[in-house]
Amino acid sequence: MSTGQFVSRCTADAMTSAAASIKDGNLVAFPTETVYGLGADASSANAVAKIYAAKGRPADHPLIVHIASMDGIGYWADEISEYAIALARTFWPGPMTLICKRSPEAKDFVTGGQDTVGLRVPDHVVALALLEAAKQMGVHGIAAPSANRFGHVSPTKADAVREELDQYLSADDIILDGGPSQVGVESTIIDCTGNDPHILRPGAITQAMIEEVTGLKVTDAQSETRVSGSLENHYAPQAMVVLDTTPQSGDGYIAMIDKPTPAGVIRLASPQSIDEYARILYASLREGDSQKLTRIYIDQPAGDGLAIAICDRLQRAARGR
Ligand code: TXA
Ligand code: MG
């Protein structure tokens, strides 16, 4: 079994080594504010192929290219719409991915053969330091999906990355520990190639926030059929996920703090707010798996905003593997 190097202190030297490792074509798992990513040089076909191998992910699934600042957008994208620029100015660094028409630099191996590219500036000091150090070495962007095996729950802690991927990493690959992710669900993905923005995946940047900044009417994924192959279809733990019904003795249970725990039920989380719900959800699902529970009952949070993103992931998880 091969293992990556686990770096628990992200000093300036450690970041320089990690960036050099990316430059050399290796993988670096790194923290972001949403979830941990598994990164590789977005311009290197060999490096990006290692991501697909480590994740066990089909090669036609496009990857998000992470960049150090919005200056990098023009390298990867062409014909960037005005509203996309406004969104980038307002919400980057932050939990938002913009889908733009790709430039010739965004190759098929990173876009999954689509004529668009996903771009994001993450809001995490370690991610930004890595991106900046890599940029100094000539790396224009780091392609990074969530650092989990394909179809599994995204990791929000470095230990979860290690559990998911360590055996699929080589000795030159690195896992950077930057503490728990503060948002906890993946970025909002916004298709910016049409006249109006279109949400492909809900996240912490909400429809109302996008409408306010762009002055445009935003459509979302719920309102039409998803583009086949454009999104992962589940974020599922080993346990069966059951929504909005009463758990039985021996089942796991996740609900807001005001919901009581039925007798014999194993309470996995009692968030006090929607933000906390998002932040701890994935770690709670992992906890259910580590306790070898067969079923986890989850009460979906009410409301709009981040609650929509949470419910989106829960419904995918409940659809099963
Ligand atoms: O918060 C996040 O977005 C995290 C962190 C690491 O940045 N990344 C993440 O990546 O969730 P991933 O690969 O697990 O999910 C990205 C989703 C995929 O479902 C992919 O199909 C979609 O974004 N995507 C990427 N590029 C796309 C494109 N050009 N067109 C449509 N969908 C795209
Ligand atoms: Mg993912």
Side-chain angles (χ1 to χ4, degrees):
M1 189 175 93
S2 46
T3 49
Q5 302 159 44
F6 193 88
V7 176
S8 50
R9 288 186 60 241
C10 294
T11 59
D13 282 352
M15 301 313 293
T16 308
S17 305
S21 194
I22 290 267
K23 175 73 186 161
D24 287 346
N26 302 305
L27 300 179
V28 175
F30 61 95
T32 83
E33 80 282 32
T34 57
V35 300
Y36 274 68
L38 179 65
D41 180 349
S43 300
S44 162
N46 284 338
V48 169
K50 292 181 186 173
I51 295 179
Y52 286 97
K55 278 194 64 114
R57 180 177 179 159
D60 62 347
H61 273 242
L63 299 173
I64 296 171
V65 178
H66 296 70
I67 51 180
S69 70
M70 79 173 274
D71 301 348
I73 196 171
Y75 182 85
W76 296 103
D78 277 343
E79 299 168 31
I80 305 148
S81 59
E82 244 175 73
Y83 70 79
I85 299 287
L87 289 169
R89 281 219 173 89
T90 310
F91 297 121
W92 278 350
M96 176 185 77
T97 296
L98 300 180
I99 306 296
C100 301
K101 185 174 183 304
R102 70 169 167 180
S103 79
E105 302 300 338
K107 308 290 187 201
D108 282 348
F109 57 79
V110 93
T111 70
Q114 309 203 43
D115 60 1
T116 54
V117 61
L119 295 169
R120 174 161 117 82
V121 180
D123 186 13
H124 192 291
V125 56
V126 171
L128 288 170
L130 176 68
L131 286 162
E132 190 53 46
K135 192 174 153 190
Q136 300 300 324
M137 297 173 190
V139 173
H140 289 273
I142 297 183
S146 52
N148 50 278
R149 292 285 286 171
F150 182 66
H152 289 195
V153 176
S154 299
T156 52
K157 295 178 183 168
D159 282 342
V161 177
R162 188 152 53 175
E163 272 168 35
E164 282 280 328
L165 293 180
D166 209 24
Q167 66 186 111
Y168 305 99
L169 298 180
S170 79
D172 292 325
D173 300 331
I174 297 172
I175 299 172
L176 297 173
D177 183 356
S181 296
Q182 290 305 300
V183 175
V185 293
E186 302 81 359
S187 62
T188 307
I189 301 181
I190 309 170
D191 181 352
C192 296
T193 60
N195 289 335
D196 299 316
H198 175 68
I199 297 178
L200 295 175
R201 179 175 72 184
I205 303 299
T206 64
Q207 180 171 353
M209 292 160 80
I210 301 165
E211 287 181 344
E212 192 181 326
V213 166
T214 62
L216 298 169
K217 181 80 196 119
V218 175
T219 51
D220 66 24
Q222 263 94 41
S223 60
E224 55 189 79
T225 321
R226 247 169 249 281
V227 184
S228 160
S230 72
L231 292 172
E232 279 180 31
N233 43 7
H234 19 73
Y235 295 69
Q238 300 292 329
M240 180 198 283
V241 170
V242 186
L243 301 181
D244 302 334
T245 40
T246 309
Q248 307 298 309
S249 182
D251 290 330
Y253 187 44
I254 297 172
M256 295 291 280
I257 192 164
D258 57 325
K259 294 277 173 62
T261 310
V265 163
I266 299 136
R267 190 72 177 238
L268 295 168
S270 310
Q272 305 195 40
S273 66
I274 298 292
D275 285 0
E276 188 188 358
Y277 200 132
R279 188 158 60 240
I280 66 179
L281 174 63
Y282 290 161
S284 307
L285 293 174
R286 284 179 186 281
E287 175 58 25
D289 279 348
S290 74
Q291 293 193 31
K292 306 249 180 314
L293 303 181
T294 11
R295 289 181 307 202
I296 301 176
Y297 281 70
I298 307 181
D299 265 4
Q300 297 192 78
D304 47 17
L306 196 49
I308 290 177
I310 296 170
C311 294
D312 170 75
R313 305 311 189 275
L314 291 177
Q315 285 160 25
R316 290 162 191 265
R319 260 177 247 146
R321 300 180 159 278

